[in-house]
Amino acid sequence: MEKVLPQILSLGVDPAVMEFLSKEIPTCKMDVQPYDLKYFEAALTPSPVAIFCGLPKAELEMQVAEVAQALRMIYNSIPIYFVSIERTSFNRKQLQKNGFTDAFLMPSDQSVFIETIQKMLSALGELKVYRSVRLMDIPSENVLGFDLYLHMPANNKYVKYASSTDVLSEKRLERLHSYEIATASVSEDQMKQFYDFTAAQLSRLGSSNKISETQKKELRENAVRDLFTGIFGEAGKDDTIDKGRAVMNDCQEVIKSYILNESESKNTWFDKIMNVASAAGGAYNHASNVSTYAALFSIGLGIGKPDEIALAALLHDIGMADIPLEIAVKSERERTPEETKAYQRHVMLSVNMLKEKKLMVPENVFKIIAQHHERFDGKGYPDAIPGHRFMKEAQILAIADQFDYLTKVQAGKPAMMPMAAMEEILRRNSASKDEVFYDPQLLLQISNLFHVGKKAA
Amino acid sequence: MFAPNTKILVVDDMLTMRKLVIKICKELGFSDIVEASDGAKAFELISSTQPGFGLVISDWNMPQCTGLDLLKRVRVDSRFSQLPFLMVTAEAEQHQIMEAVKAGVSGYVIKPFTGDQLKEKLTGVYQKHFAQKAS
């Protein structure tokens, strides 16, 4: 018998978003429709498992808030998501108050959107989703409590490596290490068990953290997401100095609570890096991870002001919100020269967005952001200026950015162990005299911090 | 609670919202429901319909004559000073609700709402208007 796929009703969603979604979630049947008043009369039978809504056009004569209210009154219990590429009218909290389960602004929210849908389908039992976890989070002496899988890239299959009742022996872990396997997978429905396991592990190790790394990660992600949508949303209408000041306060709060707080904890420098690197990847982790790494590099080297670097790192990619979705979702290799050019504009867009929002940030923060894709050999963008002419802080941010990319646990790419990632950055930087990405002196100093830290650990 | 034969007037400029509120009222067992698409028409209906309405459910945010305007017009007319009047508001208008209370609203419900929530609000409105008399 042919399997009946769950049906999602999509109303008036931007075609670029739909194209992106159809690639990402093939296990659903999408009923893609323009808005029509008939959808606001009564529930469809059978009911869709979820509804996606785009920004309604004027001819519908309904505001987005009314769409949310009406659909929510028709469908009490299914998720209804708003997804838009229009950042000027985006106010996540308001949209949720009117009845949407959540609201996603593309392309910034692409990963968190996909994750949300996967979780939903996984809860419906429609989709087996696997999350990558780091083997270093799994000590050998305890019963797992969750099944552990290995991903086989050749046929894209997941093979069970250990059962929930198993204790992973030191020998088996070592064997995986010898194959340079640093990550394994846990199915979405058992992620809670995995998090409980790692939280128990943390408390056994006498970690000073009162809340688990998972909760901390979620809090941090939510804070960063709220902060960003606060910056993106409702352009022009109230871009006053006061609003800029309020956003700035939020930034500083995030940095104080989640970033510098990490660097001020009693942990050693190396442990702090490891703590951040070991958290399972989340959609909004990149900004806060890079911010933490950059602040720690700055503190470790005594170069620049850590809070300025942390702020620049937190905001360095917000301009990505204005890059067309179809370009943002492509990998570097897939982009045409024109698309590459458009993509590279995100640097100046970040700076412009901060200025447009009247964020009172120190001039240095603008400079660090503007130069974070410049290269030591002068082959970077946007200005292709050579290393001796731009700020060391921008290089610190660039190295932190790359370090997070290499270590991040993310579908579709292998994650490296932190030490290996640092070695890889060094290797690439010295492989050819014609390709020098980062200041070799500075990079060596950072890598030394890792070596000294590792020895002490 | 209101008797099933209570005559209800549903006021909203949005056709979809009117239909939804009517649908929910029907699910709660009411069958005598009249609709109006703006405050002026609503007032006309309220003053001319015989026998009169037992309950008005009106949206707040309507062009020209808002739900608040309608409420004020209804309350100054001595015939309707005790007519149960439930205001429907969006979350964003919640802070204005004090104004409606001063103008004599019987209760309010925030969109989006379910049948159960409306029932709860209607029970509150009913008690406010009739429970004291009954006891």
Side-chain angles (χ1 to χ4, degrees):
Chain A
M1 200 178 89
E2 205 178 318
K3 194 177 170 327
V4 183
L5 291 172
Q7 177 140 319
I8 293 178
L9 175 64
S10 165
L11 294 175
V13 177
D14 189 273
V17 174
M18 286 322 297
E19 203 192 315
F20 164 73
L21 283 176
S22 63
K23 279 187 212 144
E24 294 288 333
I25 37 169
T27 46
C28 278
K29 197 167 160 248
M30 288 281 183
D31 184 14
V32 183
Q33 300 292 346
Y35 273 115
D36 190 295
L37 286 180
K38 70 177 183 208
Y39 295 107
F40 300 94
E41 282 164 14
L44 297 174
T45 43
S47 167
V49 295
I51 303 175
F52 297 160
C53 297
L55 201 61
K57 294 212 172 81
E59 51 269 30
L60 184 70
E61 293 186 338
M62 274 173 91
Q63 303 291 320
V64 66
E66 290 160 341
V67 166
Q69 292 159 2
L71 286 177
R72 180 51 74 208
M73 286 168 70
I74 299 171
Y75 300 92
N76 289 333
S77 54
I78 63 167
I80 305 173
Y81 300 115
F82 179 70
V83 49
S84 173
I85 52 171
E86 199 56 59
R87 75 173 169 91
T88 47
S89 55
F90 194 87
N91 183 333
R92 185 170 165 234
K93 287 215 172 95
Q94 207 55 52
L95 290 160
Q96 285 176 311
K97 275 181 185 163
N98 279 308
F100 288 120
T101 312
D102 203 345
F104 302 96
L105 180 64
M106 306 297 260
S108 315
D109 282 340
Q110 49 172 300
S111 332
V112 74
F113 186 33
I114 293 298
E115 238 174 64
T116 307
I117 299 164
Q118 287 181 342
K119 273 186 195 162
M120 177 194 88
L121 291 172
S122 162
L124 289 170
E126 290 292 346
L127 182 65
K128 190 97 171 158
V129 183
Y130 296 89
R131 299 265 172 236
S132 295
V133 299
R134 219 170 263 284
L135 283 170
M136 62 189 248
D137 290 340
I138 304 168
S140 56
E141 65 266 29
N142 301 103
V143 176
L144 291 175
F146 52 86
D147 299 325
L148 197 65
Y149 297 82
L150 291 182
H151 179 235
M152 301 291 138
N155 55 7
N156 199 24
K157 288 245 155 66
Y158 290 84
V159 178
K160 197 188 272 188
Y161 184 71
S163 293
S164 57
T165 49
D166 286 359
V167 173
L168 214 53
S169 71
E170 193 74 41
K171 213 167 155 193
R172 289 180 83 187
L173 276 173
E174 263 168 30
R175 195 178 316 142
L176 291 178
H177 277 302
S178 72
Y179 290 119
E180 295 190 351
I181 295 174
T183 54
S185 306
V186 175
S187 68
E188 174 71 49
D189 54 318
Q190 291 192 336
M191 278 310 278
K192 195 192 166 302
Q193 283 88 327
F194 169 77
Y195 284 136
D196 288 348
F197 178 88
T198 49
Q201 183 61 22
L202 274 172
S203 72
R204 259 199 304 279
L205 291 175
S207 167
S208 56
N209 299 324
K210 288 277 182 293
I211 55 170
S212 76
E213 286 296 312
T214 322
Q215 283 171 301
K216 202 157 90 182
K217 183 193 107 179
E218 276 167 12
L219 284 173
R220 193 175 62 189
E221 270 198 43
N222 263 327
V224 174
R225 192 171 167 207
D226 282 348
L227 175 67
F228 282 8
T229 39
I231 297 175
F232 299 146
E234 300 188 283
K237 222 178 1 179
D238 52 354
D239 287 339
T240 58
I241 303 275
D242 279 348
K243 170 103 188 285
R245 199 170 283 144
V247 172
M248 208 36 223
N249 282 341
D250 290 346
C251 284
Q252 267 149 1
E253 196 51 44
V254 166
I255 288 175
K256 207 174 89 198
S257 316
Y258 301 106
I259 291 161
L260 291 181
N261 182 29
E262 182 68 47
S263 69
E264 278 164 8
S265 70
K266 286 200 191 76
N267 290 336
T268 66
W269 188 91
F270 189 68
D271 284 344
K272 288 165 196 161
I273 294 268
M274 289 304 182
N275 260 351
V276 180
S278 63
Y284 274 84
N285 263 351
H286 178 66
S288 60
N289 281 5
V290 174
S291 183
T292 314
Y293 295 137
L296 284 167
F297 292 170
S298 157
I299 290 166
L301 299 175
I303 292 176
K305 292 183 184 159
D307 53 341
E308 272 184 11
I309 297 183
L311 183 59
L314 189 64
L315 303 173
H316 75 282
D317 269 347
I318 59 165
M320 215 65 103
D322 281 347
I323 300 292
L325 180 66
E326 54 274 25
I327 296 176
V329 296
K330 280 188 188 171
S331 75
E332 212 172 313
R333 250 173 281 150
E334 294 170 319
R335 289 184 196 116
T336 66
E338 292 77 36
E339 287 174 333
T340 301
K341 223 172 182 178
Y343 176 81
Q344 293 179 347
R345 285 185 61 234
H346 82 264
V347 176
M348 285 337 284
L349 290 173
S350 292
V351 174
N352 290 347
M353 200 185 290
L354 297 181
K355 292 199 165 156
E356 168 195 311
K357 293 287 163 182
K358 300 194 173 51
L359 251 62
M360 298 286 161
V361 300
E363 197 52 37
N364 271 349
V365 172
F366 287 129
K367 272 196 201 152
I368 299 170
I369 295 175
Q371 297 174 348
H372 84 270
H373 275 297
E374 296 293 353
R375 285 170 39 162
F376 190 74
D377 58 13
K379 292 178 185 171
Y381 59 85
D383 294 327
I385 44 176
H388 64 274
R389 284 187 43 211
F390 61 86
M391 296 178 72
K392 279 212 158 114
E393 288 91 326
Q395 286 274 278
I396 288 178
L397 171 52
I399 295 167
D401 197 5
Q402 185 63 16
F403 180 74
D404 184 59
Y405 176 74
L406 292 176
T407 53
K408 194 178 173 136
V409 178
Q410 187 183 298
K413 78 169 195 47
M416 298 177 92
M417 305 288 277
M419 287 304 287
M422 205 61 230
E423 293 301 326
E424 177 65 13
I425 296 174
L426 266 177
R427 191 190 63 73
R428 282 188 208 170
N429 206 49
S430 50
S432 154
K433 280 204 166 58
D434 300 327
E435 298 282 338
V436 185
F437 303 90
Y438 316 107
D439 181 342
Q441 202 66 37
L442 188 75
L443 190 56
L444 208 57
Q445 285 175 303
I446 294 176
S447 138
N448 278 339
L449 287 172
F450 277 78
H451 284 289
V452 173
K454 175 114 204 256
K455 255 182 222 149
Chain B
M1 183 54 172
F2 289 96
N5 64 356
T6 305
K7 193 194 279 279
I8 300 177
L9 177 64
V10 172
V11 192
D12 200 313
D13 58 318
M14 296 272 309
L15 175 69
T16 48
M17 202 45 82
R18 241 164 32 229
K19 296 281 176 225
L20 283 172
V21 175
I22 291 171
K23 186 168 153 276
I24 290 177
C25 287
K26 283 186 175 161
E27 281 163 9
L28 292 179
F30 299 103
S31 54
D32 194 359
I33 306 164
V34 179
E35 53 187 298
S37 59
D38 65 62
K41 278 188 199 133
F43 189 75
E44 228 177 87
L45 279 167
I46 291 170
S47 2
S48 65
T49 306
Q50 280 305 328
F53 289 101
L55 170 67
V56 177
I57 301 176
S58 171
D59 187 34
W60 178 299
N61 187 12
M62 294 183 290
Q64 280 116 40
C65 180
T66 67
L68 184 65
D69 297 334
L70 174 64
L71 173 67
K72 284 176 179 164
R73 275 179 79 177
V74 165
R75 286 291 181 249
V76 293
D77 191 319
S78 59
R79 290 173 295 168
F80 312 121
S81 62
Q82 291 304 313
L83 174 62
F85 195 111
L86 183 76
M87 191 77 87
V88 179
T89 78
E91 169 72 32
E93 296 143 8
Q94 207 190 341
H95 63 280
Q96 301 165 312
I97 213 73
M98 272 317 288
E99 248 185 292
V101 172
K102 274 184 212 151
V105 81
S106 316
Y108 70 96
V109 61
I110 296 171
K111 289 183 285 188
F113 53 85
T114 62
D116 286 344
Q117 284 163 334
L118 182 67
K119 191 175 169 185
E120 198 188 307
K121 294 288 182 181
L122 288 181
T123 308
V125 170
Y126 183 81
Q127 280 169 350
K128 192 171 169 184
H129 282 270
F130 304 107
Q132 286 131 333
K133 282 180 212 162
S135 64

